[in-house]
Amino acid sequence: MIQAFGLTSNPRQELPPAVDDVSFEAPTGRVTALLGARASGKTTAVRLMLELQQGRGIAHFRGRPLHRIPHPSREVGVLLGEVQGHPSRTVRGQLRMLCAAAGVPVQRADEVLEVVGIVSLREQRLATLSRGMDRRLGLACALLADPHTLVLDGPADGLSAREGKWLHGILRAHASLGGTVFFTTDDAKEAARTADRVVTLEAGRIIADQGVADFSRTRLRPRVAVRSPHAARLGVLLAKEARATQRSVEVVNEDGNRLSVYGSNCADVGETAFRHSILVHQLADEVGDAGPAVSVPARARTEGVREAEPTVPQTAAADASSVADVSLPATESSEETAAPSAQAQAHTASAQDPPHSTSTFVPLPADADLGGASSLASAPAPVPLSDDSGPQTPRTPSTSAPAPPPAPLPPPITIHPAPSPLRPLRYEVRRATGIATGYLTAAAVLVASAIVAVLLARTGHTPQAHLLAAWPQELPLPPAALGAGLLGAFAFGDEFRHPALAADRGTVPRRLGLLCAKLVVAAAIAVSLAFLVVASDAVLLHLVYGEELTKVPADWLSTSASWLALVVGCAWAGVLAAGVFRSTTAGLAAVLAVPILVVPLVQKALEGPSVRTAAGLPARLRDLALVHWPFGAERFLAAGLRMIAQPVGGALMLSLTALLCAYLLTVLRPRAR
């Protein structure tokens, strides 16, 4: 069950808020539709419910706000716009990655693909999906964790009639199993066909909250569609006969040769055409949409200029003012008061215009006060109307009554970040291996390293360690380190650019668990890339120049440790910088800034004679330890310290420390607030 209380968006400069004091309920086991025209505030209301936008109010999902639910994706399935995912990722890869994020078995991805009917497209790239297939994939993402509640914003937008019917069947099936379904639409007919309850939103305010039967009676009304080459003449004759017989009939001339007749039937229209020898090409019963609500003064002006419409008796007009189960908001009149009741359908004219038509005809009581709308604006509570209460007029509160105390403001809505993946390491592995970017980057690094190594060996002035790493003195970093930094920058850069984790909750999370997973995966990729570069360069140099250039150096241990530390440090710098600045470019720039900016600063700080050195550190460490270091671990520690003592190592450590502190600051600041 969804309960929304006082959803109000923040004011927009000189404009009123897009959503103002919206409250409603979506019961369990039912389909609820939020109906409204474009720019009426439907999407804003949904974003306020899901805590994706700042404002005021609160929404409870089975009695708890979303930020109080430990695993929101298992409680609420969300579909907002297009699927958030990398365009190069496959449909199945996207769902498998989200399975790790939601903590559900990976087999669930294949199950929901069968439910939404796109098993044949599981290897299709997201960028190649059509609108209908993208909607199906979005629904699959919402159903992935088997949530109790579905919140869908315009799920049938852009779909064909067949696809829309299929989608509505899925929603109905989910509700029949005990779930809650809430969706937005701007099509009144779609809401009447699909929903059990319809909440009508206009200009950011709720103007009606009805069951589908009351909604269909007050909003959707029958009409007779007529096509004739003499449509104008037939319309005048129908209005004239209705006036003579004192029947309330409205005739709307739509597209030149098409009429929409309200308050009549096919038999009466056909007899009129036959008596006057008018050729008719089409005569059919249809169900029309009442369109948006019209204010009382606007309706009065509409009646004044329409001379061809008959005068309505006061009794019929009184019946038209009775509407079932409608509450009028405090600042605007309800559109359902403009619609006739079911008993007065044969006597009351109601406007039914297509999207391009704006005329509306609603009869008013003879003693109706056009200032009633202003009196409603001062009423402290909504005014209920019912079918069996007879004609009613808005009641103006007494001027001597004391003003009611102001209602307390609803609680503020704070944007909460998306939760970290429940299985972060598995999520990160699937994210990194699910697209071809990493493989292409690694292939480019291997090719560039091989070419550089061959060219350096030809000159004969490069040390063997730099030769195997393909690191010329003119370049600030070798290709392997640059490639590792770029792959590390992709780890967070793609996350912010294609936020798969933020599809239902705020921004991309920057939690320590997710950071550790990204650092581990980035380090593993960097080490693998470093070994591949050295191995491929050694094999190529052996084939081209012989065994002379591929001998194992004497200080291979410290050299290998320095080499691996360099590429891993570059990868981590890319991860941290991209996470802090939310950009792949910023991550790569941080990697390049180490040798270009930070190294000169470190060298300048270390200039001058050195009074003390770390000579003899392994022996002192051995003496300090109570037991001997296993496997000569003091040699590795000494190699690491010597690497840090170098300008590049010191600069890299300084950069990593600064980026890690900045990352922790960005993580802790929202928690402090």
Side-chain angles (χ1 to χ4, degrees):
M1 183 177 190
I2 302 176
Q3 296 171 303
F5 305 100
L7 298 179
T8 305
S9 61
N10 293 332
R12 304 163 293 170
Q13 295 181 354
E14 298 179 355
L15 300 176
V19 173
D20 189 6
D21 195 18
V22 170
S23 302
F24 59 86
E25 287 187 2
T28 301
R30 297 289 184 267
V31 179
T32 304
L34 181 63
L35 174 66
R38 296 186 183 275
S40 61
K42 303 188 301 296
T43 300
T44 303
V46 171
R47 292 180 63 84
L48 290 172
M49 288 170 52
L50 299 175
E51 300 176 357
L52 299 176
Q53 182 172 329
Q54 291 183 346
R56 286 195 170 274
I58 195 169
H60 286 172
F61 298 87
R62 290 205 288 184
R64 293 180 296 174
L66 202 59
H67 63 272
R68 297 289 186 183
I69 300 175
H71 306 302
S73 59
R74 296 184 178 181
E75 176 67 29
V76 183
V78 178
L79 174 59
L80 297 176
E82 297 180 354
V83 175
Q84 299 289 336
H86 197 286
S88 299
R89 200 178 303 279
T90 63
V91 169
R92 190 166 181 259
Q94 175 78 6
L95 291 176
R96 287 169 64 90
M97 182 181 66
L98 295 180
C99 282
V104 299
V106 70
Q107 294 80 8
R108 179 64 179 168
D110 297 324
E111 294 176 2
V112 295
L113 284 177
E114 292 183 1
V115 170
V116 300
I118 54 175
V119 178
S120 60
L121 302 179
R122 58 184 172 214
E123 300 302 327
Q124 201 82 0
R125 306 291 177 183
L126 297 186
T128 62
L129 295 180
S130 64
R131 175 68 173 176
M133 296 302 103
D134 184 85
R135 294 273 94 180
R136 289 181 182 238
L137 177 59
L139 185 59
C141 295
L143 294 171
L144 192 61
D146 194 17
H148 174 270
T149 303
L150 290 180
V151 177
L152 315 174
D153 185 22
D157 291 350
L159 298 185
S160 63
R162 180 180 179 183
E163 291 174 331
K165 185 177 181 180
W166 169 87
L167 175 64
H168 297 151
I170 292 290
L171 301 184
R172 176 59 60 187
H174 184 81
S176 64
L177 294 176
T180 303
V181 178
F182 179 82
F183 73 98
T184 67
T185 181
D186 56 3
D187 187 355
K189 298 178 184 178
E190 177 189 359
R193 288 192 303 264
T194 308
D196 300 307
R197 191 161 194 84
V198 181
V199 180
T200 306
L201 192 69
E202 182 177 333
R205 286 179 172 271
I206 289 182
I207 60 175
D209 187 349
Q210 305 167 283
V212 68
D214 293 337
F215 172 80
S216 299
R217 185 178 71 249
T218 58
R219 179 69 183 264
L220 301 179
R221 291 151 301 161
R223 66 183 177 186
V224 178
V226 184
R227 287 190 181 274
S228 171
H230 309 287
R233 180 185 170 206
L234 179 59
V236 173
L237 292 173
L238 290 173
K240 182 178 180 180
E241 290 188 357
R243 188 181 301 112
T245 57
Q246 292 193 357
R247 289 186 298 112
S248 180
V249 174
E250 181 190 9
V251 180
V252 178
N253 194 340
E254 295 181 351
D255 292 329
N257 64 342
R258 187 176 189 275
L259 297 177
S260 292
V261 183
Y262 300 92
S264 186
N265 53 57
C266 289
D268 293 342
V269 174
E271 290 178 1
T272 301
F274 177 77
R275 285 197 303 269
H276 296 86
S277 302
I278 297 178
L279 178 64
V280 175
H281 291 163
Q282 180 190 13
L283 191 63
D285 288 322
E286 291 184 355
V287 176
D289 181 11
V294 181
S295 62
V296 174
R299 290 200 298 267
R301 290 193 299 268
T302 303
E303 291 178 24
V305 298
R306 301 190 60 177
E307 300 177 356
E309 294 167 350
T311 304
V312 184
Q314 183 175 349
T315 56
D319 292 337
S321 64
S322 178
V323 180
D325 299 329
V326 180
S327 297
L328 298 178
T331 58
E332 54 184 293
S333 60
S334 172
E335 69 177 304
E336 274 69 26
T337 58
S341 64
Q343 294 82 356
Q345 281 288 342
H347 305 287
T348 306
S350 300
Q352 166 52 42
D353 298 335
H356 61 272
S357 177
T358 58
S359 62
T360 302
F361 172 73
V362 179
L364 296 177
D367 56 349
D369 182 11
L370 295 182
S374 60
S375 64
L376 285 176
S378 60
V383 181
L385 303 177
S386 61
D387 275 338
D388 56 356
S389 59
Q392 297 183 8
T393 56
R395 292 176 296 177
T396 304
S398 174
T399 55
S400 60
L409 291 176
I413 296 177
T414 304
I415 299 178
H416 294 273
S420 292
L422 294 182
R423 298 171 183 173
L425 188 59
R426 190 176 304 178
Y427 167 83
E428 182 58 25
V429 170
R430 290 174 182 166
R431 187 209 61 79
T433 59
I435 57 177
T437 304
Y439 304 106
L440 295 177
T441 303
V445 167
L446 292 177
V447 172
S449 299
I451 295 175
V452 171
V454 171
L455 294 178
L456 291 177
R458 183 178 181 183
T459 60
H461 301 295
T462 305
Q464 186 180 11
H466 283 250
L467 186 61
L468 292 176
W471 189 357
Q473 300 293 337
E474 294 79 9
L475 292 180
L477 288 174
L482 288 175
L486 181 60
L487 292 177
F490 282 141
F492 257 124
D494 284 346
E495 201 80 82
F496 287 108
R497 188 166 43 182
H498 309 290
L501 286 178
D504 57 342
R505 290 292 309 281
T507 58
V508 174
R510 288 188 286 191
R511 306 288 179 86
L512 295 182
L514 185 61
L515 174 65
C516 292
K518 290 186 180 295
L519 292 179
V520 169
V521 173
I525 294 175
V527 170
S528 303
L529 187 61
F531 275 116
L532 287 175
V533 166
V534 172
S536 62
D537 290 349
V539 171
L540 185 60
L541 292 174
H542 178 77
L543 292 176
V544 176
Y545 298 107
E547 299 180 358
E548 181 182 359
L549 299 178
T550 57
K551 294 180 180 180
V552 178
D555 57 343
W556 65 272
L557 182 60
S558 60
T559 303
S560 300
S562 300
W563 170 240
L564 295 179
L566 176 65
V567 292
V568 171
C570 289
W572 285 358
V575 171
L576 292 172
V580 171
F581 300 107
R582 305 189 177 191
S583 170
T584 303
T585 305
L588 185 59
V591 175
L592 292 174
V594 171
I596 297 175
L597 297 179
V598 186
V599 168
L601 295 177
V602 174
Q603 287 177 337
K604 191 173 184 61
L606 296 178
E607 284 181 355
S610 178
V611 178
R612 295 180 177 86
T613 63
L617 179 62
R620 291 193 294 272
L621 290 176
R622 188 182 300 108
D623 296 338
L624 180 63
L626 298 178
V627 294
H628 291 289
W629 292 80
F631 308 108
E634 71 277 359
R635 292 182 298 169
F636 295 95
L637 182 59
L641 291 176
R642 282 196 298 270
M643 182 199 66
I644 295 175
Q646 298 174 2
V648 175
L652 194 57
M653 288 295 298
L654 182 62
S655 298
L656 289 177
T657 303
L659 290 173
L660 183 59
C661 291
Y663 187 93
L664 293 176
L665 181 63
T666 58
V667 171
L668 296 177
R669 280 184 61 190
R671 297 183 181 180
R673 290 180 181 177

